Amino acid sequence: MLSTIQIKSYAKINWTLDVLFKREDGYHELRTIYQTVSLHDTLTIAETHGPIETVCDDPRVPCDETNLAFKAAQSLREATGTSRGARIEIEKRTPVAAGMGGGSSNAAATLLALVKVWQVGIDDRELFRIAAALGSDVPFFLIGGTALGVGRGEQVHPIEQVHCQHLLLVNPGFAVSTRDAYERLSRLTSSEAASIIPFALLAAKGIRELPLAARNDLEAPVLAAHPEIAEVKRRLLSLGARLAQMSGSGATVFGVFDNLKTAERSETEMRAAGYWAERARTVDRQEYHATIFQ
Ligand code: C5P
């Protein structure tokens, strides 16, 4: 019998994102602290006798061979030598090209699901290698929770989990290209190492203070090019967010709130102002793996 599986594809934010320098391979050397959050897409992955196909309910997502879930399935097929096919249905809830790792998460979820659906044996090292070749953020979604990303972000290390119940994710409705965000930063910082990782800060304040010690080197150059994102930050802070910061290369901004009431009120206000806004909370590594398969 051909099997079908449903998998949650969680989104991420970056508590910190420090860019150290531009490398010879064109990528930027990073230190970032990734965090999975409760917002998620849902993937339904069915084994078929045909080719690999992807379908998505959001017309902004390409369903051809450029789709990262498609590429993930293709790579796993090549690596394992299986001749099985798959139909990958993506129910999109995470904003696209928004700094929340939507495509990368879909790719990692596809790998995790297809290992089960196709019943192929592959060791973790190989799975991480495939994930890293798909994109810098993809390996993180194989582990989830709170994790440190080094290199171009693809080398991930689990760290103590950060819990935050009242997040508000706000997107101004346009996409930001990750490549453009990094190029803007390179022009600003030239050859200087941009900054030092905030571990001293973390050591002083403790991991629990991370939501307040947050920082993102891509924010200033992206905000300079897109004042609409600065406006989202300003509004979140005036609505009572303890912190409002751009996630990844933007344009999504996350707000950290003290309680449900202010988070809910802000969600209502931001939606009334025409923004996409969605409350969320952190998903730690244990919950990530316990809930990913529905
Ligand atoms: O790895 P990924 O395909 O997601 O990266 C998209 C683009 O973002 C890269 O082609 C590169 O221009 C930029 N990038 C970078 N440094 C990183 C990650 C991404 O310059 N660490």
Side-chain angles (χ1 to χ4, degrees):
M1 225 188 52
L2 296 175
S3 60
T4 298
I5 212 167
Q6 268 205 343
I7 185 166
K8 290 192 180 102
S9 172
Y10 287 105
K12 61 88 177 155
I13 57 173
N14 301 77
W15 289 125
T16 67
L17 198 165
D18 290 81
V19 181
L20 274 63
F21 54 89
K22 188 170 183 179
R23 312 190 318 192
E24 294 208 332
D25 64 4
Y27 284 93
H28 291 77
E29 182 70 23
L30 303 185
R31 300 292 179 265
T32 184
I33 297 177
Y34 291 112
Q35 174 69 59
T36 38
V37 296
S38 50
L39 174 71
H40 63 87
D41 299 338
T42 302
L43 270 54
T44 305
I45 302 192
E47 183 185 1
T48 68
H49 292 303
I52 291 162
E53 324 164 59
T54 41
V55 287
C56 183
D57 62 354
D58 185 330
R60 288 169 303 177
V61 177
C63 283
D64 55 13
E65 66 287 345
T66 63
N67 185 296
L68 269 180
F70 179 94
K71 286 189 186 177
Q74 197 76 19
S75 304
L76 188 68
R77 196 147 81 152
E78 277 162 24
T80 60
T82 182
S83 57
R84 294 165 196 232
R87 178 184 158 88
I88 305 162
E89 246 179 72
I90 305 170
E91 236 178 86
K92 211 19 100 193
R93 295 294 168 269
T94 305
V96 177
M100 298 184 61
S104 303
S105 176
N106 290 173
T110 298
L111 292 175
L112 292 171
L114 280 179
V115 164
K116 287 189 177 235
V117 166
W118 284 341
Q119 294 181 303
V120 287
I122 185 159
D123 64 38
D124 278 357
R125 278 179 80 93
E126 179 69 352
L127 203 60
F128 275 89
R129 194 197 56 75
I130 293 173
L134 291 165
S136 306
D137 291 346
V138 181
F140 163 65
F141 288 105
L142 295 177
I143 65 170
T146 312
L148 173 69
V150 306
R152 58 184 172 90
E154 90 287 13
Q155 297 163 36
V156 281
H157 304 275
I159 59 172
E160 195 181 331
Q161 301 297 287
V162 173
H163 296 100
C164 189
Q165 284 304 308
H166 308 296
L167 295 170
L168 182 64
L169 309 169
V170 181
N171 185 277
F174 56 85
V176 172
S177 142
T178 301
R179 181 186 296 261
D180 288 356
Y182 280 101
E183 271 169 15
R184 285 208 171 86
L185 178 77
S186 299
R187 279 200 295 275
L188 278 185
T189 58
S190 64
S191 61
E192 270 173 57
S195 49
I196 306 297
I197 50 173
F199 287 154
L201 199 63
L202 286 183
K205 292 193 162 187
I207 193 95
R208 270 167 246 296
E209 289 298 314
L210 188 52
L212 299 177
R215 40 177 285 122
N216 181 350
D217 280 344
L218 294 177
E219 193 179 82
V222 173
L223 259 56
H226 300 285
E228 305 93 316
I229 305 175
E231 173 64 12
V232 170
K233 270 193 74 160
R234 195 195 59 72
R235 282 177 184 249
L236 279 170
L237 291 170
S238 76
L239 285 164
R242 292 244 274 159
L243 163 86
Q245 179 176 280
M246 192 178 82
S247 181
S249 52
T252 305
V253 175
F254 62 91
V256 174
F257 289 86
D258 284 333
N259 56 59
L260 181 63
K261 211 169 133 206
T262 47
E264 274 179 344
R265 203 190 58 217
S266 305
E267 183 183 49
T268 307
E269 297 265 334
M270 293 306 272
R271 285 180 177 172
Y275 295 106
W276 175 95
E278 198 73 39
R279 274 181 301 116
R281 57 178 177 75
T282 52
V283 169
D284 68 19
R285 193 159 35 260
Q286 197 196 356
E287 181 184 358
Y288 188 77
H289 290 282
T291 58
I292 194 163
F293 290 108
Q294 297 180 319

